[in-house]
Amino acid sequence: MSDLKLRVKEMIIERLKLEGMTPDQIDDGIPLFGEGLGLDSIDALELVLGIEQVFGVKIEDEAAGLKAFKSVQALTDFIAEHMKA
Amino acid sequence: MLEIPAHLPHRYPFLLVDRVLEREPGVRVVAEKLVTMGEPYLQGHFEGHPLVPGVLLLEMLAQAGGFLEAESLHGTAIFLAGVQDARFKAPAFPGDRLRLEVTAVGAFGGLMKVRGTVSCEDRELCTARLLVKRL
C-alpha cells in the first residue's frame, strides 16, 4: 500500500470514527458512499474538512466530490494531484 | 439593522434570537437572546426553578447560524442534521442576556458545520458543533 493511500485510509477511519476498522480492511476500489463503505452526506462534509486539514487539499464543489469520493484509490489520486499544484 | 423575522422562518414561541450584533455572512455571527420569565417552557422546566433547557441553547445556536447565510431563509427548509461534542457548563436563567456566537467551520453538499458558544457575562454556558442541512 502506498504511503499516501495508507494516510488517506487512516484519515477516513479517524475522521469518521470507524472504530475497530483497520486500513487494510478498506478495499481500494470500493465506493465510499451508498453501497460500499455506506457513508452519508454528513460523512462527506467530515471528509471534505479532514482532507483540507490533513492534506491541505480543497474539494471545492459537489462535482469535484463526486470524482474524488468514487473510491479510496480515486481519492488518493485526487489528493496526490492537487497536493503538487 | 437586520429584520430578524424577515430572515428566519421561525416564529413565536420558537423564534429564539432577539438581536443580531455582528454578522459576516459565511464566516461569523454574534447574536443575542434575552431570557424572560415569559418563555413558555420555563413554566415546566422546572416549576419554581426556571432554567433554559440545554437543547434550546443548541437551538439558539442553530438559529443564530441561520444568519451566516447571506440570503433570507424564507421558503427554505432548514434543519439540524447533527450535534457534536455538546457541553453544558452552566445553566441559563430568566433575566440572562445570552450571547450566541457562531463560526462557520465548513460546508459541502448543502450541509454546513458550525462551532457555537452560548455565554452570559463572559461565562461560557454551552459549546457545541452543529451540522445544519438546507434543502
Side-chain angles (χ1 to χ4, degrees), chain B residues 22 28-31 61 64 99-103 115-119 128:
Chain B
E22 292 169 46
R28 180 172 175 267
V29 168
V30 182
L61 289 174
R99 183 182 164 91
L100 315 170
E101 207 168 330
V102 177
T103 311
R115 203 171 33 232
T117 303
V118 181
S119 59

Side-chain angles (χ1 to χ4, degrees), chain A residues 41-42 45-46 48-49 61-62, chain B residues 81 84 107-109 111 113 131:
Chain A
S41 60
I42 294 176
L45 172 58
E46 291 297 342
V48 167
L49 297 174
D61 52 25
E62 282 164 70
Chain B
Q84 300 174 336
F108 184 76
L111 265 175
K113 185 172 183 176
L131 292 156

Side-chain angles (χ1 to χ4, degrees), chain B residues 25-49:
Chain B
V27 181
R28 180 172 175 267
V29 168
V30 182
E32 204 173 62
K33 163 70 184 161
L34 181 62
V35 182
T36 72
M37 258 324 268
E39 317 279 345
Y41 50 82
L42 291 177
Q43 287 180 30
H45 191 280
F46 296 97
E47 202 174 18
H49 302 279

Side-chain angles (χ1 to χ4, degrees), chain B residues 9-125:
Chain B
H10 306 74
R11 291 295 176 265
Y12 177 85
F14 213 67
L15 176 58
L16 299 175
V17 173
D18 292 335
R19 283 211 295 169
V20 177
L21 305 176
E22 292 169 46
R23 176 166 182 252
E24 197 182 332
V27 181
R28 180 172 175 267
V29 168
V30 182
E32 204 173 62
K33 163 70 184 161
L34 181 62
V35 182
T36 72
M37 258 324 268
E39 317 279 345
Y41 50 82
L42 291 177
Q43 287 180 30
H45 191 280
F46 296 97
E47 202 174 18
H49 302 279
L51 55 92
V52 180
V55 287
L56 291 188
L57 298 179
L58 298 178
E59 177 64 23
M60 286 173 196
L61 289 174
Q63 289 188 18
F67 293 93
L68 287 168
E69 304 273 355
E71 306 293 326
S72 161
L73 292 174
H74 270 280
T76 312
I78 183 161
F79 58 89
L80 202 50
V83 176
Q84 300 174 336
D85 298 322
R87 297 278 185 282
F88 304 99
K89 301 173 182 185
F93 300 108
D96 282 351
R97 187 182 294 276
L98 302 180
R99 183 182 164 91
L100 315 170
E101 207 168 330
V102 177
T103 311
V105 177
F108 184 76
L111 265 175
M112 178 170 67
K113 185 172 183 176
V114 304
R115 203 171 33 232
T117 303
V118 181
S119 59
C120 180
E121 290 166 3
D122 295 325
R123 274 185 317 137
E124 273 192 4
L125 306 185

Side-chain angles (χ1 to χ4, degrees), chain A residues 3 10 14 27 56 80 82-83:
Chain A
D3 189 41
E10 285 170 348
E14 199 208 315
D27 193 279
H82 290 80
M83 273 172 93

